[in-house]
Amino acid sequence: MPGDDAIAADVEKQLEAPMPWIGVYVAAASLICTLAMAADTFHGFRSKKHWFPSKFFSLNATSLTLLAVAMKLPVDLTTRMWATTDRLAKVSSMIFMSTAMGNFMTCLGSMDDKDILMNVTALGILVITVIVNVCVQIIQMRRFLFDRRMFAEEILAASSMLLLLVMVASSAVMVPATKRYLESKYHEMLKMASDEQLLESMEEGNLVFDKLRLRIQKYWVMAETSSPQFVIARSVTCTASGFVCLLTALILVQAEIRMLIKYRTINVTASKYGWSSTWIVIAQSIGVAVGIIAPAFRCYTAIKFKCSEKGKRSFKDEFKIEAYWTQRLVEWKESSLPLQIRDHKWRKVLHNTKGLILTFLVKVQILIVLSSKGVRFLSFCFASPIFSCFHCITRLKNLFSSSTSRVHGISESELRSELDLSRYVLLLQGEVELPQRIQINICNEVDKLIQTGKKQQPKNLISLLHKIGNFRGLKEVDRNQVPSLHSQEPPKCWSLPLVTLTSIASALPNIPKHKVKWLLQSVDEGLFYVNLIEKSLDNKGNLENSRHAADAIWVGVELYRKWQDNDLHETSRKGGNSKETLQELSKQGEKTIIDFKREVKDFLMDNPLNWPVKVIAANSMYRICQRLLMAYEGDCLPTDEELFKQLCNMIANIMAACLTNLMHVIIMKCHRKGITDKEKSVHQAALLLGETEEILRILQQHTAARSNPDESEFIEKWCNLIRRKY
């Protein structure tokens, strides 16, 4: 009926009204992906990692969701999209997806096996869904193909998506075997470096800053070159994917140029998406332009590595398939069925079927790797003359600038000699040796990290450490000289006595505010390293409650000048002088412990490891105050200023005794064996070395700082050492 037709038309019009805003949503999702790719590109250039590790844009639920939104137009089967801009928007969406896949290929190295399986499967479902929808449109609209604009570009874009998906899956199959090989080789290198370290320590008797820097460089080279992301970036599949991404980007460029030449505008749209189609094309074109940088540079870097290879390889070696490419598939083929099937006949049938499928997949994997090697070889053949010309020009420039290098104090050959750490470079079977310049750049990263750390040196802490004496201040926190209020005592950590002594110093009357502020800043800077040392050395977790107590107390002292809700200003007013202040703080600690013993009857609380942090902190305050009062018993108690100065010296001594473990902690960070977190750990070690350079030099000037590391790990051992010495 005419009325029904009008209603249907009105309903359809209402439903189509928000379509341009849906297009804006698609453009926004594309721009978010573009920003993430741009961040990875900027990070790669800034850190001189021209293999561009995936840090911000990686294969995960968030990126897949955004890409699914960006693929709205290719999967839309109901909207009529005949105009040029509409067809171009579909092509740009698929090329944008191809570029995204080329960008996050390296992130497979940072995933575990389960994450790889889940994410690659999700990516496959998304890509296949897009391709199937494109194929449905082509089949259903085959009668109108003669009038379909950009049909060839659409087919090529869909084919590139499928090809890149296959390459991602091929790389994913290679990752587990590669990680196992790298981990095994890394542990061998780690043992070799540890043996050399032991030999150097025996020869030198002490570890100096420059030797520690060179040692970190060794570990950094090992960590960087064995980084799974870097290994994937050097692989032939990643090189080939970069080449495919570059070709697909050129397809989009020619399509846009052709449209501009023909229509002299990019705003020729007739779909329900309206003006937003133009925004989608612009957003995704920017995404392709930004996203192509990383895959193209990876391809360029791989070819450059190939051109710098020493000696020529035979054609047979060039196309040899390394075992790690098919190892995982072979393992699956040889393993038993995960299903529990009792019937022998069906179990045999399923096992044979599984074997046939995996045999086919092994052959497909070999074909993919051979094709990728072929792409790399052809690229090398075309690029080799160009690189040879640049190499000749570079050699001539170096020849003319050699005298300039001498003026700066070191020649290029000497630089290479100093930084020749090629035996610490981890390579896979069949990989070409990294160019010397790349190795030098990797080593220079350590120096930059150390320089960055030097800019963040804790100046207040350094001035506090200049007050180091003979470490006798540790006697004042020795618990053996004060009667206990409880049958047992909690284990003692470094940070709790430091926080307690600082609380006492802050509560002393008649102390200038600027001195108290300086002490609080100094201890705050020092506690960062103290906490780091305690977390690294306390493997059993015995000191966890004591460390929590110190953290809780320090928040109140530093921010509010309060110790367990007791205002330190009020305490100093009550005391009047130093002795009365110590007595008042001691009473507050004693009251907390007595109340705890009276109120709690749980036998679990007899174990100090289970005590509340409030009680642990109160026990430390009571003991240290009593020890200070005993130290001055019978003598005239020093003035407020003198006691504050003595407390600062005690804090400096305890802090210094703890910080003698810094070298040990830095080396421990370098010895991290996990294949995934070793790079981050060595990065932290280099920064830590730069931050603490001056601290290490101060500590090396004191003979007590040269004690056996086994005797200086914990404050209890230091107290025993001081007790024997004095």
Side-chain angles (χ1 to χ4, degrees):
M1 293 179 66
D4 293 339
D5 292 341
I7 292 171
D10 186 54
V11 169
E12 186 177 355
K13 186 178 180 181
Q14 292 298 322
L15 290 173
E16 290 176 358
M19 292 300 286
W21 296 107
I22 293 175
V24 171
Y25 183 51
V26 172
S30 304
L31 283 175
I32 292 171
C33 292
T34 301
L35 288 173
M37 289 189 282
D40 277 340
T41 304
F42 176 75
H43 172 68
F45 279 122
R46 186 182 181 187
S47 58
K48 292 188 177 179
K49 293 181 179 179
H50 294 160
W51 48 277
F52 298 94
S54 298
K55 185 176 180 182
F56 302 99
F57 188 67
S58 58
L59 183 57
N60 53 38
T62 303
S63 61
L64 285 171
T65 304
L66 289 169
L67 288 172
V69 174
M71 294 299 106
K72 175 70 172 71
L73 270 63
V75 299
D76 191 345
L77 295 174
T78 59
T79 303
R80 292 188 295 273
M81 305 184 71
W82 298 106
T84 305
T85 303
D86 300 325
R87 304 307 306 167
L88 185 59
K90 283 201 170 191
V91 172
S92 68
S93 295
M94 289 187 282
I95 293 177
F96 181 77
M97 182 70 189
S98 299
T99 307
M101 284 194 282
N103 268 267
F104 56 50
M105 181 168 296
T106 57
C107 75
L108 296 171
S110 59
M111 301 181 192
D112 58 30
D113 293 358
K114 184 179 178 181
D115 287 339
I116 290 175
L117 178 62
M118 299 298 291
N119 288 319
V120 172
T121 302
L123 176 65
I125 293 170
L126 174 59
V127 172
I128 290 170
T129 301
V130 175
I131 292 172
V132 167
N133 277 269
V134 172
C135 291
V136 168
Q137 291 178 39
I138 291 171
I139 293 169
Q140 292 300 111
M141 305 301 293
R142 59 187 179 276
R143 292 173 54 193
F144 307 99
L145 287 180
F146 65 91
D147 195 37
R148 187 163 179 160
R149 298 179 181 90
M150 300 187 192
F151 176 67
E153 286 88 348
E154 197 170 350
I155 294 296
L156 289 172
S159 301
S160 69
M161 283 177 62
L162 184 59
L163 185 57
L164 281 163
L165 175 64
V166 171
M167 288 182 179
V168 170
S170 175
S171 299
V173 170
M174 175 264 286
V175 169
T178 301
K179 278 187 175 180
R180 286 200 298 269
Y181 175 81
L182 289 172
E183 193 160 2
S184 174
K185 201 168 181 181
Y186 181 76
H187 290 167
E188 289 178 14
M189 292 280 191
L190 203 59
K191 187 177 183 306
M192 181 179 74
S194 299
D195 292 342
E196 288 180 358
Q197 172 186 323
L198 183 63
L199 231 113
E200 289 176 8
S201 297
M202 290 172 64
E203 290 174 357
E204 297 167 12
N206 192 31
L207 191 65
V208 295
F209 177 82
D210 292 333
K211 289 292 182 182
L212 187 55
R213 178 181 63 84
L214 291 174
R215 203 163 287 168
I216 290 177
Q217 282 184 340
K218 294 178 186 177
Y219 293 116
W220 182 254
V221 170
M222 290 162 54
E224 280 285 285
T225 55
S226 65
S227 167
Q229 286 209 41
F230 188 22
V231 172
I232 292 177
R234 304 192 310 249
S235 68
V236 289
T237 50
C238 194
T239 304
S241 71
F243 188 75
V244 172
C245 287
L246 196 56
L247 288 179
T248 54
L250 291 175
I251 290 169
L252 180 62
V253 169
Q254 72 82 26
E256 290 179 345
I257 291 174
R258 191 155 56 88
M259 188 189 76
L260 284 170
I261 291 172
K262 187 173 182 179
Y263 296 99
R264 300 185 181 278
T265 180
I266 61 170
N267 190 13
V268 184
T269 179
S271 70
K272 298 172 186 177
Y273 294 98
W275 50 268
S276 66
S277 294
T278 306
W279 287 105
I280 293 172
V281 171
I282 293 171
Q284 293 181 341
S285 297
I286 293 171
V288 172
V290 171
I292 196 60
I293 297 172
F297 260 87
R298 288 172 192 157
C299 185
Y300 165 79
T301 305
I303 296 169
K304 189 176 180 181
F305 284 1
K306 181 68 181 169
C307 292
S308 65
E309 184 180 1
K310 296 178 182 178
K312 293 185 178 180
R313 304 170 71 191
S314 65
F315 189 81
K316 183 179 178 181
D317 290 337
E318 192 67 45
F319 286 88
K320 181 182 178 182
I321 303 297
E322 293 81 9
Y324 53 80
W325 286 106
T326 57
Q327 185 175 333
R328 193 58 185 267
L329 293 173
V330 172
E331 287 174 359
W332 285 343
K333 179 183 174 181
E334 294 174 349
S335 63
S336 60
L337 289 167
L339 302 174
Q340 294 295 327
I341 301 172
R342 294 189 178 185
D343 189 276
H344 176 75
K345 181 181 177 180
W346 282 109
R347 196 162 65 244
K348 186 176 179 180
V349 169
L350 287 174
H351 185 78
N352 291 337
T353 304
K354 184 195 74 169
L356 288 172
I357 293 170
L358 287 169
T359 301
F360 172 74
L361 291 177
V362 167
K363 290 180 180 179
V364 171
Q365 176 77 335
I366 291 171
L367 179 62
I368 295 166
V369 176
L370 282 174
S371 303
S372 300
K373 284 177 177 282
V375 169
R376 187 182 67 174
F377 183 74
L378 290 173
S379 303
F380 163 71
C381 291
F382 283 110
S384 183
I386 301 171
F387 280 112
S388 297
C389 291
F390 278 114
H391 182 64
C392 290
I393 295 170
T394 304
R395 288 184 64 184
L396 287 172
K397 284 177 68 179
N398 290 339
L399 189 64
F400 286 113
S401 61
S402 59
S403 57
T404 309
S405 298
R406 283 289 176 186
V407 171
H408 286 84
I410 186 168
S411 68
E412 181 73 15
S413 60
E414 288 172 341
L415 178 65
R416 294 188 177 194
S417 173
E418 181 190 352
L419 300 176
D420 185 17
L421 300 173
S422 55
R423 61 200 180 109
Y424 294 99
V425 175
L426 273 71
L427 298 172
L428 291 175
Q429 179 189 0
E431 278 197 296
V432 299
E433 185 180 344
L434 294 183
Q436 186 74 19
R437 176 52 59 185
I438 299 295
Q439 295 179 38
I440 292 172
N441 286 341
I442 290 173
C443 293
N444 288 342
E445 285 183 53
V446 174
D447 292 331
K448 288 178 182 178
L449 287 171
I450 292 173
Q451 290 301 323
T452 302
K454 285 182 179 180
K455 295 175 183 177
Q456 302 169 2
Q457 290 193 53
K459 296 180 181 179
N460 293 303
L461 174 60
I462 290 170
S463 66
L464 175 67
L465 291 177
H466 283 298
K467 299 181 181 295
I468 297 174
N470 53 15
F471 294 93
R472 293 182 66 177
L474 271 75
K475 292 179 68 178
E476 309 305 331
V477 295
D478 190 351
R479 68 187 183 191
N480 293 328
Q481 300 186 34
V482 178
S484 177
L485 294 176
H486 198 276
S487 58
Q488 298 187 64
E489 287 289 318
K492 192 177 293 182
C493 66
W494 290 104
S495 52
L496 188 55
L498 284 170
V499 170
T500 305
L501 286 168
T502 308
S503 303
I504 295 170
S506 302
L508 293 178
N510 307 318
I511 305 299
K513 288 184 179 180
H514 72 275
K515 290 188 177 181
V516 175
K517 183 180 178 182
W518 166 81
L519 178 62
L520 290 172
Q521 290 174 342
S522 303
V523 174
D524 185 55
E525 291 174 355
L527 283 175
F528 171 79
Y529 303 105
V530 171
N531 291 331
L532 181 64
I533 289 168
E534 289 179 333
K535 287 178 184 177
S536 300
L537 300 181
D538 183 28
N539 297 322
K540 297 180 180 178
N542 292 333
L543 303 178
E544 189 173 354
N545 263 11
S546 297
R547 288 193 284 110
H548 287 169
D551 288 341
I553 293 298
W554 184 245
V555 170
V557 172
E558 188 207 8
L559 298 180
Y560 309 108
R561 293 287 300 277
K562 289 184 177 182
W563 182 85
Q564 292 200 359
D565 298 328
N566 297 308
D567 194 327
L568 294 175
H569 290 293
E570 186 66 26
T571 303
S572 64
R573 280 197 295 270
K574 282 183 183 178
N577 58 46
S578 299
K579 183 174 182 180
E580 291 175 357
T581 300
L582 290 173
Q583 289 172 343
E584 179 64 28
L585 290 171
S586 176
K587 285 178 183 177
Q588 291 174 5
E590 184 179 10
K591 182 179 182 300
T592 302
I593 299 168
I594 292 172
D595 290 345
F596 169 73
K597 288 176 64 178
R598 184 174 61 250
E599 294 172 5
V600 178
K601 302 299 182 183
D602 190 349
F603 73 94
L604 290 174
M605 289 302 170
D606 289 338
N607 185 351
L609 293 177
N610 298 326
W611 285 6
V613 294
K614 185 176 181 180
V615 177
I616 294 174
N619 184 70
S620 176
M621 178 61 79
Y622 166 76
R623 281 191 161 280
I624 291 177
C625 286
Q626 286 296 314
R627 184 68 188 89
L628 289 170
L629 289 169
M630 288 172 59
Y632 301 110
E633 190 176 357
D635 298 326
C636 291
L637 199 71
T639 62
D640 300 334
E641 283 274 1
E642 289 173 345
L643 182 57
F644 181 83
K645 184 179 178 181
Q646 290 174 12
L647 288 173
C648 289
N649 292 340
M650 290 169 60
I651 292 167
N653 289 334
I654 297 171
M655 188 78 75
C658 176
L659 296 181
T660 54
N661 295 292
L662 269 173
M663 286 185 182
H664 183 45
V665 170
I666 291 171
I667 294 172
M668 280 177 65
K669 282 186 170 293
C670 293
H671 282 211
R672 187 69 61 86
K673 293 184 178 180
I675 192 73
T676 53
D677 58 354
K678 62 183 182 303
E679 188 178 358
K680 181 180 178 182
S681 185
V682 180
H683 182 281
Q684 291 172 349
L687 279 175
L688 187 60
L689 180 62
E691 289 179 22
T692 59
E693 178 187 6
E694 186 62 28
I695 293 172
L696 294 175
R697 296 194 191 282
I698 293 171
L699 295 177
Q700 283 179 352
Q701 296 172 3
H702 296 265
T703 55
R706 300 173 187 262
S707 61
N708 187 345
D710 292 335
E711 294 183 345
S712 61
E713 285 183 345
F714 303 108
I715 192 169
E716 295 284 4
K717 294 183 178 181
W718 263 99
C719 288
N720 294 335
L721 194 67
I722 298 299
R723 200 182 305 125
R724 290 197 305 268
K725 191 170 182 180
Y726 300 102

